[in-house]
Amino acid sequence: MPQVVFRSIFAILFLWIGPMVWAETPVRLDLGESYVTDRGQGIEVQLRLNRATAYGLRLRDNPMRLIVDLAGVEVQNLPNGFDRADRAQAVTLGPAPRAGWGRLSLHLTAPMVIERAVMDTRHSDAVRLTLRLRPATAQEFATHLTPASADEPPQAVIAEPAPPLRTRPLIALDPGHGGIDPGAERDGYSEADLVLLFALELREMLLRDGLVDVFMTRERDEFIPLPYRMSRARMAGADLFISIHADALAAGDGMASGATVYTLSETGSDAASAALAAQHDRADLLAGVDLGQSDDVVADLLMDLARLETDPRSDALADALVTGLEGAGVELHSRPRLEANFTVLRAPDYPSVLLEIGFMSEGGDLENILDPVWRSRAQGGIARAIEAWLAEDNLRRSLMRR
Ligand SMILES: [Zn+2]
């Protein structure tokens, strides 16, 4: 079952288009506003649709082609002038193997790979899907080919409910551990309990400020597998995700004290960071949760594309948290910005960070975490950081749209 849920995390990548309405109206290509053209050294595909829909991208050989599958798209004859690209030999729009999907096939004159894929849904009745292809060596093209087994678009796509409409940003708070997994333990206290208390208090403060809504991945002492934490936040429509911890480092992993903010990277900043990330997978693995990586090339490709946009936003969020905590007078780790391969940070489609409010292995940190005055100060710093990040992120995104 957890495996199914984890797969659906990848499946939903095919949506990746923010709030949407899965109306039953057919999806139409606006042929007047859609085209394929040479762009730079590559090709640009512009598709204007009357509403947002799921899509999947595939690269195939013999002949070399890009396949764009679109859910619910009616098959139409493409007019002359639709394909303005010398680098695209032929473009056709026919039915996809899966019922109800349309398939655009673009035959390439030279090997190319997908550089960019963005569905702009700001205007719900004039949605624009932009794809950019760039030239590649035959060898690179070969590594980007989609295996035939991945031909069927994922089953879960249309079953995913649209997130509820919201006016305020939704902050997902993820208190680490819980249930069979107490996390770090010291002097009769467990990390699971302490970070839950911290997160509940932080939620109170954020809601009192009235600028954001809050979603909690858990509100009581229960075990929630890491992939569920991510999919729950996604289903709720979270705009950002903050996992809250207060770990202990094993003796030999060095001294650690003070608040630390982690972002995702495959290799940790140092041995202690890598050990910390591995430690967090252990409870899930013991509970039989599949944390395996995807073997789906399309999903991986889309993940990479999505990360191009999300990673800098996660970095900015982490920086804002460090600034906010520092401004609130919270003791910081000697290197407060670190990276590690935390499973819970692997969502490609919303920014996420993991915050160690302190380390329970350190007596002073534990004392702080038990002190309501310190907690309130730290929570205030986090709230200011979230507000600062939201303002900065809005600005950055509106500039990017220009
Ligand atoms: Zn932890």
Side-chain angles (χ1 to χ4, degrees), residues 58-74:
R58 301 179 164 73
L59 281 176
R60 285 284 165 70
D61 210 350
N62 301 317
M64 287 183 293
R65 61 202 192 277
L66 168 73
I67 290 172
V68 186
D69 282 341
L70 293 153
V73 162
E74 291 180 327

mmCIF file of all heavy atoms in Angstrom, residues 58-74:
data_model
loop_
_atom_site.group_PDB
_atom_site.id
_atom_site.type_symbol
_atom_site.label_atom_id
_atom_site.label_comp_id
_atom_site.label_asym_id
_atom_site.label_seq_id
_atom_site.Cartn_x
_atom_site.Cartn_y
_atom_site.Cartn_z
ATOM 1 N N ARG A 58 7.377 11.939 -23.654
ATOM 2 C CA ARG A 58 8.211 10.772 -23.920
ATOM 3 C C ARG A 58 9.125 11.062 -25.099
ATOM 4 O O ARG A 58 8.716 11.741 -26.036
ATOM 5 C CB ARG A 58 7.343 9.565 -24.275
ATOM 6 C CG ARG A 58 6.388 9.210 -23.197
ATOM 7 C CD ARG A 58 5.508 8.031 -23.561
ATOM 8 N NE ARG A 58 4.908 7.534 -22.344
ATOM 9 C CZ ARG A 58 3.946 8.151 -21.687
ATOM 10 N NH1 ARG A 58 3.452 9.262 -22.163
ATOM 11 N NH2 ARG A 58 3.470 7.681 -20.558
ATOM 12 N N LEU A 59 10.319 10.529 -25.045
ATOM 13 C CA LEU A 59 11.221 10.565 -26.198
ATOM 14 C C LEU A 59 11.353 9.140 -26.705
ATOM 15 O O LEU A 59 11.560 8.213 -25.920
ATOM 16 C CB LEU A 59 12.595 11.109 -25.799
ATOM 17 C CG LEU A 59 12.728 12.624 -25.656
ATOM 18 C CD1 LEU A 59 14.117 12.971 -25.158
ATOM 19 C CD2 LEU A 59 12.438 13.340 -26.975
ATOM 20 N N ARG A 60 11.221 8.975 -28.027
ATOM 21 C CA ARG A 60 11.298 7.643 -28.633
ATOM 22 C C ARG A 60 12.258 7.661 -29.814
ATOM 23 O O ARG A 60 12.464 8.697 -30.433
ATOM 24 C CB ARG A 60 9.908 7.210 -29.123
ATOM 25 C CG ARG A 60 8.976 6.787 -28.029
ATOM 26 C CD ARG A 60 9.336 5.388 -27.537
ATOM 27 N NE ARG A 60 8.692 5.083 -26.271
ATOM 28 C CZ ARG A 60 7.397 4.875 -26.134
ATOM 29 N NH1 ARG A 60 6.608 4.915 -27.177
ATOM 30 N NH2 ARG A 60 6.895 4.618 -24.956
ATOM 31 N N ASP A 61 12.765 6.471 -30.117
ATOM 32 C CA ASP A 61 13.704 6.316 -31.230
ATOM 33 C C ASP A 61 13.003 5.561 -32.369
ATOM 34 O O ASP A 61 11.969 4.947 -32.162
ATOM 35 C CB ASP A 61 14.929 5.533 -30.734
ATOM 36 C CG ASP A 61 16.169 5.961 -31.504
ATOM 37 O OD1 ASP A 61 16.018 6.696 -32.500
ATOM 38 O OD2 ASP A 61 17.272 5.566 -31.114
ATOM 39 N N ASN A 62 13.614 5.579 -33.558
ATOM 40 C CA ASN A 62 13.136 4.793 -34.715
ATOM 41 C C ASN A 62 11.680 5.037 -35.059
ATOM 42 O O ASN A 62 10.864 4.132 -34.905
ATOM 43 C CB ASN A 62 13.376 3.292 -34.488
ATOM 44 C CG ASN A 62 14.840 2.988 -34.275
ATOM 45 O OD1 ASN A 62 15.698 3.516 -34.977
ATOM 46 N ND2 ASN A 62 15.123 2.166 -33.288
ATOM 47 N N PRO A 63 11.292 6.150 -35.573
ATOM 48 C CA PRO A 63 12.124 7.339 -35.769
ATOM 49 C C PRO A 63 12.216 8.174 -34.494
ATOM 50 O O PRO A 63 11.387 8.021 -33.603
ATOM 51 C CB PRO A 63 11.356 8.099 -36.855
ATOM 52 C CG PRO A 63 9.927 7.724 -36.626
ATOM 53 C CD PRO A 63 9.932 6.323 -36.096
ATOM 54 N N MET A 64 13.206 9.061 -34.474
ATOM 55 C CA MET A 64 13.385 9.936 -33.310
ATOM 56 C C MET A 64 12.178 10.845 -33.186
ATOM 57 O O MET A 64 11.815 11.546 -34.138
ATOM 58 C CB MET A 64 14.632 10.812 -33.499
ATOM 59 C CG MET A 64 15.932 10.073 -33.342
ATOM 60 S SD MET A 64 17.333 11.202 -33.486
ATOM 61 C CE MET A 64 17.218 11.689 -35.200
ATOM 62 N N ARG A 65 11.529 10.825 -32.033
ATOM 63 C CA ARG A 65 10.360 11.697 -31.892
ATOM 64 C C ARG A 65 10.080 12.047 -30.443
ATOM 65 O O ARG A 65 10.458 11.314 -29.525
ATOM 66 C CB ARG A 65 9.128 11.054 -32.536
ATOM 67 C CG ARG A 65 8.719 9.734 -31.935
ATOM 68 C CD ARG A 65 7.879 8.945 -32.951
ATOM 69 N NE ARG A 65 7.223 7.789 -32.345
ATOM 70 C CZ ARG A 65 7.816 6.616 -32.155
ATOM 71 N NH1 ARG A 65 9.073 6.435 -32.500
ATOM 72 N NH2 ARG A 65 7.149 5.620 -31.618
ATOM 73 N N LEU A 66 9.415 13.183 -30.295
ATOM 74 C CA LEU A 66 8.888 13.590 -28.991
ATOM 75 C C LEU A 66 7.400 13.284 -29.002
ATOM 76 O O LEU A 66 6.695 13.617 -29.956
ATOM 77 C CB LEU A 66 9.084 15.098 -28.774
ATOM 78 C CG LEU A 66 8.315 15.687 -27.581
ATOM 79 C CD1 LEU A 66 8.947 15.267 -26.256
ATOM 80 C CD2 LEU A 66 8.237 17.205 -27.665
ATOM 81 N N ILE A 67 6.938 12.640 -27.938
ATOM 82 C CA ILE A 67 5.511 12.338 -27.817
ATOM 83 C C ILE A 67 4.959 13.137 -26.651
ATOM 84 O O ILE A 67 5.521 13.125 -25.558
ATOM 85 C CB ILE A 67 5.304 10.826 -27.590
ATOM 86 C CG1 ILE A 67 5.659 10.074 -28.878
ATOM 87 C CG2 ILE A 67 3.879 10.527 -27.161
ATOM 88 C CD1 ILE A 67 5.675 8.574 -28.710
ATOM 89 N N VAL A 68 3.881 13.866 -26.918
ATOM 90 C CA VAL A 68 3.215 14.631 -25.863
ATOM 91 C C VAL A 68 1.817 14.050 -25.709
ATOM 92 O O VAL A 68 0.989 14.178 -26.615
ATOM 93 C CB VAL A 68 3.112 16.126 -26.238
ATOM 94 C CG1 VAL A 68 2.546 16.926 -25.073
ATOM 95 C CG2 VAL A 68 4.472 16.678 -26.663
ATOM 96 N N ASP A 69 1.557 13.375 -24.593
ATOM 97 C CA ASP A 69 0.217 12.841 -24.344
ATOM 98 C C ASP A 69 -0.550 13.832 -23.482
ATOM 99 O O ASP A 69 -0.036 14.316 -22.472
ATOM 100 C CB ASP A 69 0.308 11.487 -23.627
ATOM 101 C CG ASP A 69 0.660 10.367 -24.597
ATOM 102 O OD1 ASP A 69 0.468 10.568 -25.809
ATOM 103 O OD2 ASP A 69 1.130 9.309 -24.143
ATOM 104 N N LEU A 70 -1.771 14.115 -23.888
ATOM 105 C CA LEU A 70 -2.582 15.111 -23.182
ATOM 106 C C LEU A 70 -3.928 14.485 -22.822
ATOM 107 O O LEU A 70 -4.629 13.961 -23.695
ATOM 108 C CB LEU A 70 -2.805 16.326 -24.087
ATOM 109 C CG LEU A 70 -1.546 17.148 -24.401
ATOM 110 C CD1 LEU A 70 -1.691 17.848 -25.733
ATOM 111 C CD2 LEU A 70 -1.293 18.158 -23.293
ATOM 112 N N ALA A 71 -4.276 14.549 -21.542
ATOM 113 C CA ALA A 71 -5.533 13.942 -21.096
ATOM 114 C C ALA A 71 -6.721 14.725 -21.637
ATOM 115 O O ALA A 71 -6.761 15.946 -21.551
ATOM 116 C CB ALA A 71 -5.581 13.903 -19.568
ATOM 117 N N GLY A 72 -7.665 14.008 -22.210
ATOM 118 C CA GLY A 72 -8.936 14.611 -22.612
ATOM 119 C C GLY A 72 -8.881 15.441 -23.875
ATOM 120 O O GLY A 72 -9.868 16.081 -24.237
ATOM 121 N N VAL A 73 -7.733 15.446 -24.555
ATOM 122 C CA VAL A 73 -7.621 16.314 -25.736
ATOM 123 C C VAL A 73 -8.279 15.665 -26.947
ATOM 124 O O VAL A 73 -8.057 14.500 -27.241
ATOM 125 C CB VAL A 73 -6.139 16.635 -26.038
ATOM 126 C CG1 VAL A 73 -5.965 17.129 -27.466
ATOM 127 C CG2 VAL A 73 -5.632 17.686 -25.072
ATOM 128 N N GLU A 74 -9.130 16.431 -27.601
ATOM 129 C CA GLU A 74 -9.799 15.957 -28.806
ATOM 130 C C GLU A 74 -8.808 15.917 -29.961
ATOM 131 O O GLU A 74 -7.986 16.815 -30.107
ATOM 132 C CB GLU A 74 -10.926 16.924 -29.187
ATOM 133 C CG GLU A 74 -12.091 16.911 -28.233
ATOM 134 C CD GLU A 74 -13.159 17.897 -28.669
ATOM 135 O OE1 GLU A 74 -12.801 18.944 -29.237
ATOM 136 O OE2 GLU A 74 -14.339 17.605 -28.439
#
